[in-house]
Amino acid sequence: AQPSAPDPIPVPLRDLEFGQINFLHTTDTHGWLAGHLQEPSYSADWGDYISFATHLREKVEAQGQDLLVIDTGDRVEGNGLYDSSEPKGIYLSEIIRHQHIDVITSGNHELYQYNTSNNELLTTVPNFRGHYLSSNIDIYHPTTQELVPLAPRYKKFTTKLQGIRIVAFGFLFNFNGNYNNTVVQPVENTIREDWFQEAIQDKEVDLFLVAGHVPAHSPEYRAIFRAIRKVHWATPIQFFAGHQHIRDYARYDSKAMALASGRFMETIGFMSIDGLSTSNRPTVTSTPVFKRRYIDNNLFSFYHHTGLDESSFPTKKGVEVSKMITEARNALNLDEVYGCAPRDLWMSRVPYPHPDSIYTWLETEVLATLLKDDSRRSVPAVAILNTGGIRFDIFKGQFTRDSASIISPFINDFRYVKDVPYEKTQLIMDVLNKQTKILEMSENADALSMTELASPDQRDVAKHAASNQEDRESQLLSMTAGSHQVPLVAKREDLNIIPGYTTKDDAGTDGDDTIHSPISAYQVPNCIQSLLPTNETKMPETVDLVYINFVQPFLVLAAKYAGLDIDFEKDSEVYMPNTTMSDLIRDYVEANWKCE
Ligand SMILES: Nc1ccn([C@@H]2O[C@H](COP(=O)(O)O)[C@@H](O)[C@H]2O)c(=O)n1
Ligand SMILES: [Zn+2]
Ligand SMILES: [Zn+2]
């Protein structure tokens, strides 16, 4: 762990249940390779994860079993370790490569910017040659301009000890917000291509492995499941999922499961399968047994699951990588203190609006006081911000350079359109905040989902049904009941129960390794707004409509719905040039949050 990371708290744990093949899975790490420096439950770093995977591999291999390590993308954007370097990501790529990863894929964040996807092609793919898979992404090569697959479409391999014959794919969900140097083919089209159909015709396969930056419960994974089942009615399929930033597990049938392992290095997903027919043992006919576990990323959990301790756990490589992270953080000055937060500000632990809501704080304090273009000082404005642009809570205490990247990593401009009737801006807000898909009537027929504007974990509305009190209480009850059904090795009287994940998924409520008390979660809107004041006291008739540029494609549709004829490409201009949300937050913190 990093020198300033808090010690983990001893808590009751559920064991891992191993099988013929075992998996460790990360997704949506978004640069958090240092772990969480303000939260003991997630305080292990990438070096610790390397030690953990090494020991777990030794442990299962000693039993004649296999271990594979998977990562399903969104490794970039969201933490100072990635976003603070110039160019971005120079330290991150060097650190990540030290983990042995058997199957690795791209997320959408690898594709938003021209440089990020090129960095995948020129650095990450070669670093993980033979392991990086990209079934539905092509890229215009930066030197030849030729459209080429980002990485091989699929691979077939046999595991070391069990001789399990695996055909593996690497998918990205149907993403259309990529920069124009990449092409993401819809999954439903990809699975009709010859290479995919040939790959799934193979009869000598014991397991299909579909790794992807795709939600566990999604039309894309259902389509892949159906395509494989048309040819192989009974071959087991293991999906690894991501993008929604939630812990989740989907059961497609008795032999096809999907595991999603959260976000931001909070969770190391574990999966095992037993009872597979293999090249070594071809005759097993029973239904395989799938087990899943969401491991809290901290040393207490790692020691427990490996049976090791403070002195026997660290490996040479793990310690070296932890040191690389410390050195990178120092070189980037990530601990530089901008101010001290007087209280916690939450994304979804409190309702919105609320005095402790980060969005209420942004609306009423940050945007209202600091967002103003010099040339538009006398013009009132309504500023619209997508809640998904805000990525994490603010904890009471030191607010650092790292915190600024963590809360708001994106280089999004503010733009504006002048003379928009105030009433229409409110209609636009209503449309943006509907949880609907809108079909663009113009030249392309892509559906834009307004929920893309929100924080990723807000998109699965069903999951958030769990935010109401009744459901939380029943979760707590079933969690306690569940704890009787699985081994609870570390349950001792002196162990605390602390707030954290209490996951409910298709296999029940016993997936988390750590028994936690629940945390409240409330739905927040897709977009928030701030009325930027002038000296005028009465409500203006027309305003500047100011917005974060990420919102523009959605705004185009919402404005049409509101009956406005605005050509956003032509009619909008940059508002407060060279200013990002992160800059405004930093300015606010420096001016208002003095440390004692
Ligand atoms: N420039 C950007 C890019 C993304 N966002 C927000 O992030 C969401 C995607 O995040 P995942 O980690 O789930 O892939 C996206 O839907 C936006 O809400 C942004 O605000 N600005
Ligand atoms: Zn993500
Ligand atoms: Zn994503």
Side-chain angles (χ1 to χ4, degrees):
Q2 291 300 290
S4 63
D7 287 335
I9 298 167
V11 281
L13 292 177
R14 298 184 178 100
D15 274 346
L16 305 183
E17 296 171 85
F18 298 100
Q20 277 170 288
I21 185 161
N22 304 278
F23 300 92
L24 291 176
H25 174 221
T26 49
T27 193
D28 297 87
T29 50
H30 287 286
W32 287 72
L33 301 189
H36 290 231
L37 303 178
Q38 291 174 297
E39 290 181 287
S41 292
Y42 316 117
S43 53
D45 66 20
W46 194 253
D48 301 317
Y49 178 42
I50 289 172
S51 299
F52 182 55
T54 306
H55 292 304
L56 224 57
R57 190 175 297 109
E58 282 166 7
K59 183 169 169 163
V60 301
E61 287 188 355
Q63 296 163 182
Q65 302 165 331
D66 291 301
L67 178 85
L68 299 181
V69 178
I70 316 286
D71 183 87
T72 49
D74 275 10
R75 290 172 288 280
V76 300
E77 298 187 329
N79 189 285
L81 195 57
Y82 176 83
D83 293 281
S84 291
S85 69
E86 194 45 59
K88 287 170 186 281
I90 44 173
Y91 294 98
L92 196 86
S93 309
E94 275 308 301
I95 295 164
I96 287 188
R97 65 182 300 187
H98 290 284
Q99 175 66 292
H100 173 88
I101 301 180
D102 294 281
V103 178
I104 181 167
T105 72
S106 170
N108 48 310
H109 280 269
E110 279 80 10
L111 308 186
Y112 278 116
Q113 308 286 339
Y114 176 80
N115 285 344
T116 327
S117 48
N118 279 337
N119 191 49
E120 286 303 286
L121 179 73
L122 303 176
T123 305
T124 315
V125 172
N127 285 349
F128 290 96
R129 197 170 297 290
H131 303 286
Y132 202 122
L133 298 179
S134 179
S135 300
N136 63 333
I137 304 170
D138 292 321
I139 183 164
Y140 288 98
H141 195 287
T143 45
T144 65
Q145 303 310 321
E146 198 194 341
L147 188 65
V148 292
L150 176 64
R153 300 292 193 216
Y154 78 105
K155 70 169 180 173
K156 184 175 183 185
F157 62 105
T158 302
T159 62
K160 192 161 128 190
L161 294 176
Q162 288 282 321
I164 301 166
R165 294 161 303 175
I166 297 180
V167 168
F169 302 98
F171 277 94
L172 174 62
F173 71 93
N174 296 344
F175 174 54
N176 49 23
N178 48 315
Y179 194 80
N180 63 15
N181 66 325
T182 56
V183 177
V184 181
Q185 164 141 244
V187 170
E188 292 75 3
N189 296 353
T190 305
I191 60 180
R192 286 198 291 268
E193 289 195 334
D194 290 348
W195 71 264
F196 183 84
Q197 287 299 327
E198 276 162 31
I200 62 171
Q201 291 303 328
D202 192 337
K203 297 280 174 280
E204 308 293 305
V205 182
D206 304 311
L207 177 70
F208 285 99
L209 172 58
V210 185
H213 196 76
V214 180
H217 291 86
S218 59
E220 288 95 330
Y221 269 177
R222 181 147 293 282
I224 295 171
F225 164 73
R226 286 200 182 122
I228 297 175
R229 277 286 169 268
K230 264 193 192 160
V231 184
H232 296 264
W233 65 273
T235 306
I237 310 170
Q238 178 63 53
F239 294 90
F240 287 96
H243 184 55
Q244 273 176 313
H245 292 196
I246 56 172
R247 294 179 173 188
D248 198 13
Y249 186 68
R251 184 183 184 280
Y252 282 90
D253 67 15
S254 64
K255 295 180 178 184
M257 310 291 162
L259 180 77
S261 302
R263 59 163 197 183
F264 303 158
M265 279 290 284
E266 291 172 346
T267 305
I268 307 296
F270 171 84
M271 192 74 227
S272 70
I273 314 175
D274 216 21
L276 287 173
S277 165
T278 71
S279 57
N280 300 348
R281 268 199 322 162
T283 51
V284 178
T285 50
S286 63
T287 302
V289 178
F290 295 78
K291 298 281 177 191
R292 52 86 177 88
R293 201 49 96 229
Y294 309 102
I295 301 170
D296 273 13
N297 177 42
N298 65 68
L299 287 173
F300 182 78
S301 280
F302 288 178
Y303 295 162
H304 176 78
H305 297 308
T306 53
L308 298 170
D309 60 24
E310 206 176 330
S311 58
S312 52
F313 178 82
T315 59
K316 186 165 174 283
K317 196 179 201 183
V319 172
E320 277 167 13
V321 171
S322 296
K323 196 161 157 255
M324 281 175 79
I325 297 171
T326 313
E327 286 168 0
R329 287 184 56 80
N330 290 341
L332 293 168
N333 207 8
L334 295 186
D335 292 328
E336 183 190 350
V337 177
Y338 291 165
C340 285
R343 62 188 197 282
D344 297 327
L345 290 169
W346 304 111
M347 291 167 67
S348 59
R349 284 195 204 188
V350 294
Y352 161 87
H354 188 280
D356 296 330
S357 158
I358 195 164
Y359 306 112
T360 302
W361 171 73
L362 287 167
E363 280 177 347
T364 58
E365 302 201 36
V366 182
L367 294 172
T369 60
L370 294 176
L371 183 61
K372 206 69 192 162
D373 188 288
D374 279 340
S375 68
R376 309 294 296 170
R377 286 217 167 264
S378 58
V379 187
V382 168
I384 297 179
L385 181 73
N386 65 311
T387 52
I390 300 302
R391 305 289 282 186
F392 204 59
D393 304 316
I394 294 178
F395 297 131
K396 182 177 174 176
Q398 289 189 343
F399 187 101
T400 62
R401 178 185 290 274
D402 198 18
S403 318
S405 294
I406 284 171
I407 309 304
S408 177
F410 306 125
I411 313 286
N412 292 334
D413 285 333
F414 287 98
R415 298 189 68 80
Y416 79 106
V417 176
K418 55 178 91 148
D419 299 332
V420 179
Y422 174 77
E423 271 175 23
K424 294 284 186 188
T425 65
Q426 298 312 292
L427 256 176
I428 286 174
M429 280 299 288
D430 284 348
V431 179
L432 293 174
N433 280 332
K434 293 266 174 339
Q435 310 293 324
T436 50
K437 284 197 171 189
I438 297 193
L439 278 176
E440 184 158 15
M441 306 303 173
S442 58
E443 63 278 10
N444 81 63
D446 285 344
L448 272 188
S449 169
M450 292 303 174
T451 56
E452 284 299 311
L453 294 165
S455 169
D457 59 346
Q458 292 274 327
R459 289 182 204 128
D460 188 353
V461 178
K463 282 260 156 199
H464 278 269
S467 65
N468 71 50
Q469 184 60 23
E470 201 182 304
D471 215 61
R472 276 208 303 283
E473 279 161 12
S474 73
Q475 253 194 43
L476 184 57
L477 281 176
S478 54
M479 179 188 78
T480 321
S483 69
H484 297 301
Q485 292 152 19
V486 290
L488 246 187
V489 174
K491 193 166 189 329
R492 297 199 317 259
E493 288 310 304
D494 55 340
L495 296 183
N496 303 311
I497 296 216
I498 58 171
Y501 282 100
T502 52
T503 309
K504 187 170 162 190
D505 61 25
D506 283 6
T509 53
D510 60 356
D512 302 308
D513 80 327
T514 307
I515 313 275
H516 282 296
S517 57
I519 290 175
S520 49
Y522 294 86
Q523 190 108 48
V524 300
N526 301 330
C527 288
I528 57 168
Q529 61 169 327
S530 184
L531 183 62
L532 311 184
T534 57
N535 294 333
E536 294 284 323
T537 45
K538 67 176 181 38
M539 190 57 84
E541 262 180 33
T542 62
V543 292
D544 283 346
L545 175 60
V546 180
Y547 57 92
I548 279 276
N549 67 348
F550 184 85
V551 180
Q552 185 166 305
F554 304 85
L555 212 48
V556 169
L557 301 181
K560 250 187 228 166
Y561 266 68
L564 286 171
D565 182 21
I566 301 175
D567 180 340
F568 280 86
E569 288 297 326
K570 274 215 241 115
D571 300 343
S572 70
E573 284 174 51
V574 174
Y575 194 84
M576 267 190 108
N578 303 318
T579 306
T580 63
M581 195 62 228
S582 184
D583 296 330
L584 294 183
I585 292 175
R586 177 188 177 158
D587 290 349
Y588 180 90
V589 169
E590 286 183 333
N592 296 284
W593 284 355
K594 301 285 173 229
C595 296
E596 300 280 283

Short mmCIF file of all heavy atoms in Angstrom, two decimals, residues 28 74 108-109 173 213 243, ligand 3:
data_model
loop_
_atom_site.label_atom_id
_atom_site.label_comp_id
_atom_site.label_asym_id
_atom_site.label_seq_id
_atom_site.Cartn_x
_atom_site.Cartn_y
_atom_site.Cartn_z
N ASP A 28 -12.74 -0.68 -14.94
CA ASP A 28 -12.98 0.73 -14.60
C ASP A 28 -12.05 1.23 -13.49
O ASP A 28 -12.50 1.94 -12.59
CB ASP A 28 -14.46 0.93 -14.23
CG ASP A 28 -15.38 0.63 -15.40
OD1 ASP A 28 -15.76 -0.56 -15.57
OD2 ASP A 28 -15.68 1.54 -16.16
N ASP A 74 -11.44 0.98 -19.37
CA ASP A 74 -11.54 2.22 -18.60
C ASP A 74 -10.42 2.25 -17.57
O ASP A 74 -10.66 2.46 -16.37
CB ASP A 74 -12.92 2.39 -17.94
CG ASP A 74 -13.96 3.01 -18.86
OD1 ASP A 74 -13.70 3.14 -20.07
OD2 ASP A 74 -15.05 3.36 -18.35
N ASN A 108 -14.61 2.55 -23.10
CA ASN A 108 -14.92 3.75 -23.87
C ASN A 108 -13.94 4.87 -23.56
O ASN A 108 -13.60 5.68 -24.43
CB ASN A 108 -16.37 4.22 -23.63
CG ASN A 108 -16.74 4.29 -22.17
OD1 ASN A 108 -16.52 3.34 -21.42
ND2 ASN A 108 -17.31 5.40 -21.73
N HIS A 109 -13.42 4.93 -22.32
CA HIS A 109 -12.51 6.04 -21.99
C HIS A 109 -11.19 5.96 -22.73
O HIS A 109 -10.52 6.98 -22.87
CB HIS A 109 -12.28 6.11 -20.47
CG HIS A 109 -13.42 6.79 -19.78
ND1 HIS A 109 -13.45 8.14 -19.54
CD2 HIS A 109 -14.60 6.29 -19.36
CE1 HIS A 109 -14.60 8.45 -18.97
NE2 HIS A 109 -15.32 7.35 -18.84
N PHE A 173 -19.10 -2.17 -25.45
CA PHE A 173 -20.54 -1.95 -25.69
C PHE A 173 -20.74 -1.03 -26.92
O PHE A 173 -19.79 -0.44 -27.42
CB PHE A 173 -21.21 -1.34 -24.44
CG PHE A 173 -20.84 0.10 -24.15
CD1 PHE A 173 -21.61 1.15 -24.62
CD2 PHE A 173 -19.71 0.41 -23.40
CE1 PHE A 173 -21.28 2.48 -24.36
CE2 PHE A 173 -19.36 1.74 -23.15
CZ PHE A 173 -20.14 2.76 -23.63
N HIS A 213 -15.95 -4.45 -22.05
CA HIS A 213 -16.42 -3.26 -21.35
C HIS A 213 -17.89 -3.10 -21.73
O HIS A 213 -18.28 -2.27 -22.55
CB HIS A 213 -15.58 -2.06 -21.77
CG HIS A 213 -15.74 -0.91 -20.84
ND1 HIS A 213 -15.15 -0.87 -19.60
CD2 HIS A 213 -16.46 0.23 -20.94
CE1 HIS A 213 -15.48 0.25 -18.99
NE2 HIS A 213 -16.29 0.93 -19.78
N HIS A 243 -18.15 -1.07 -17.13
CA HIS A 243 -18.75 0.18 -17.58
C HIS A 243 -19.74 0.78 -16.61
O HIS A 243 -19.82 2.00 -16.49
CB HIS A 243 -19.39 0.03 -18.96
CG HIS A 243 -19.94 1.31 -19.50
ND1 HIS A 243 -19.16 2.45 -19.63
CD2 HIS A 243 -21.19 1.66 -19.94
CE1 HIS A 243 -19.91 3.43 -20.13
NE2 HIS A 243 -21.14 2.98 -20.31
ZN ZN B 3 -17.02 2.91 -19.40
#
